[in-house]
Amino acid sequence: MKKNIVLYLSKSFTWVLKKPFQEHSLRFQIQTEALADFFSSDTIQVFLTQSKISHVWENTFIPQFIKKWDKWETHNKEVTADFVLGSYIPEAVTRKLFSLKHIFIDKKKTENLFPEYIIKSIICENYSEIQESFPKISSTLKVLKPQFWTQWKWIFIQEKIPKEEEIEQKFYPYILQEFFDTSEGFGTYSWIHDFRVIILNGKIIGKVLRQPNDGWFISNTSQSGKIIDLENYVIPEKIQDIINDIDSYFGSISPERLYSIDFGIWVGGEIKIFEMNGSPALSFPHITHKLWSYIIKKTLKDS
């Protein structure tokens, strides 16, 4: 009997969909099609749903589409998933990757867990506290960002206090930090960076350098940042020791875990962590395929 993988897109509450990727971008569709093609085989069939209504109970769904050869066909029968993959999967689902999002969503929580590695921050509950705390940061540039948010557009890296109307009120509290200068900290790659290591169950499956364009400070690709594949890069011993220490902690929580750590190397060689992410972008096909291959093995083995 074939195993069932359900791709849970969680974008719509609509039960009747005219097409599989309704409300999703073309880029997302291309990525998901590649994922479905990779999983589809003589031993695995792939289903797709993007409605919470389709979740029946635990690992049972009524998916709206099934992959048949090179196209999606409508589907309306119950299916027990051997594995569910996607974002915001219902909590009752047990056959999924263990998520560390509940830890990483709060930047102060990770700082408290690993104070020796993460840049210290000041919590600001309102604009008055930002004004009061700004002079306490010794670096010329200051970093201000939401404590519970990860989107680049609410991060301020500047010398002066942002105007009150520039700060999105709903994302308070914000955290205030020193700017960590990494402009000369990564060998021949000039300008500031963060070095992302992607970890699956204690094994490093990806290494990338993320850099903004010269003169910019935020490296997200949505801001035209550069992603450099460092597959063959030998991780320095100091960074590897930090990875081992952190993963030892998360390994005690769950034997199954996928997350990333973003490092910065100061011009003087000091190493700090900027952020950890429970749903990291995989960036390159060889990284993606390592995760997908793991999921296939797990699906065929565990169910």
Side-chain angles (χ1 to χ4, degrees):
M1 180 179 293
K2 282 191 173 186
K3 303 296 185 179
N4 300 321
I5 288 182
V6 173
L7 305 182
Y8 186 79
L9 308 188
S10 67
K11 190 73 174 180
S12 172
F13 289 91
T14 305
W15 177 247
V16 179
L17 298 175
K18 295 181 180 179
K19 55 184 179 179
F21 300 97
Q22 196 166 309
E23 302 176 31
H24 285 281
S25 67
L26 178 60
R27 180 181 177 184
F28 181 88
Q29 177 177 343
I30 292 171
Q31 291 173 337
T32 308
E33 289 280 18
L35 176 65
D37 290 341
F38 188 89
F39 285 158
S40 296
S41 68
D42 293 337
T43 54
I44 295 177
Q45 55 187 355
V46 180
F47 299 86
L48 183 148
T49 181
Q50 61 179 62
S51 172
K52 290 185 177 181
I53 303 172
S54 69
H55 182 232
V56 181
W57 62 283
E58 201 173 66
N59 301 303
T60 301
F61 291 81
I62 304 177
Q64 294 136 310
F65 298 94
I66 182 173
K67 186 77 172 183
K68 290 288 186 72
W69 300 101
D70 60 345
K71 63 180 182 179
W72 294 97
E73 295 183 2
T74 56
H75 189 274
N76 59 5
K77 296 180 181 179
E78 281 194 7
V79 167
T80 299
D82 296 294
F83 195 86
V84 181
L85 185 64
S87 300
Y88 307 106
I89 297 170
E91 290 186 10
V93 174
T94 61
R95 294 169 182 170
K96 58 186 176 181
L97 285 175
F98 179 80
S99 176
L100 297 170
K101 285 182 183 179
H102 63 289
I103 296 176
F104 299 145
I105 194 66
D106 182 351
K107 296 179 178 65
K108 197 65 181 178
K109 181 180 288 187
T110 53
E111 179 185 334
N112 292 337
L113 281 173
F114 308 106
E116 65 272 42
Y117 305 136
I118 296 179
I119 302 169
K120 290 181 172 56
S121 62
I122 301 172
I123 295 179
C124 302
E125 299 284 352
N126 51 54
Y127 191 70
S128 295
E129 291 187 4
I130 292 175
Q131 291 176 307
E132 179 184 340
S133 301
F134 224 73
K136 298 177 183 178
I137 302 299
S138 60
S139 59
T140 302
L141 291 170
K142 332 285 185 185
V143 179
L144 183 69
K145 56 187 177 182
Q147 180 180 348
F148 297 99
W149 196 251
T150 57
Q151 296 298 311
W152 61 268
K153 58 185 176 181
W154 304 118
I155 298 176
F156 299 88
I157 302 176
Q158 55 194 58
E159 294 183 35
K160 297 181 179 179
I161 301 175
K163 295 178 181 179
E164 186 171 7
E165 59 268 24
E166 294 176 328
I167 299 174
E168 184 61 55
Q169 296 292 311
K170 67 182 179 180
F171 294 134
Y172 276 104
Y174 280 71
I175 59 174
L176 186 61
Q177 296 175 321
E178 289 189 5
F179 175 72
F180 197 66
D181 186 355
T182 62
S183 57
E184 299 175 16
F186 211 89
T188 58
Y189 296 101
S190 61
W191 194 231
I192 64 173
H193 69 273
D194 64 63
F195 171 54
R196 171 166 289 185
V197 178
I198 303 166
I199 300 164
L200 174 64
N201 301 344
K203 295 182 179 180
I204 295 172
I205 64 169
K207 295 171 284 185
V208 300
L209 194 70
R210 308 193 310 161
Q211 290 189 299
N213 291 323
D214 290 353
W216 291 78
F217 300 113
I218 298 173
S219 60
N220 299 67
T221 53
S222 57
Q223 290 295 287
S224 301
K226 297 174 287 187
I227 305 291
I228 303 165
D229 187 8
L230 296 181
E231 182 179 11
N232 298 319
Y233 174 72
V234 178
I235 295 178
E237 185 176 352
K238 287 184 179 180
I239 292 181
Q240 186 63 60
D241 288 344
I242 296 173
I243 294 170
N244 293 344
D245 189 19
I246 289 173
D247 193 68
S248 176
Y249 172 79
F250 291 129
S252 68
I253 296 175
S254 173
E256 185 178 70
R257 55 207 179 275
L258 171 70
Y259 65 101
S260 64
I261 307 174
D262 295 342
F263 291 94
I265 304 177
W266 180 265
V267 290
E270 184 182 3
I271 299 168
K272 288 291 183 181
I273 291 172
F274 295 133
E275 191 167 272
M276 288 183 269
N277 192 323
S279 299
L282 302 179
S283 304
F284 294 97
H286 69 88
I287 302 174
T288 302
H289 286 185
K290 289 176 184 176
L291 175 61
W292 292 357
S293 297
Y294 167 77
I295 290 172
I296 287 177
K297 290 178 182 177
K298 178 178 175 58
T299 301
L300 296 176
K301 175 183 176 183
D302 292 353
S303 306

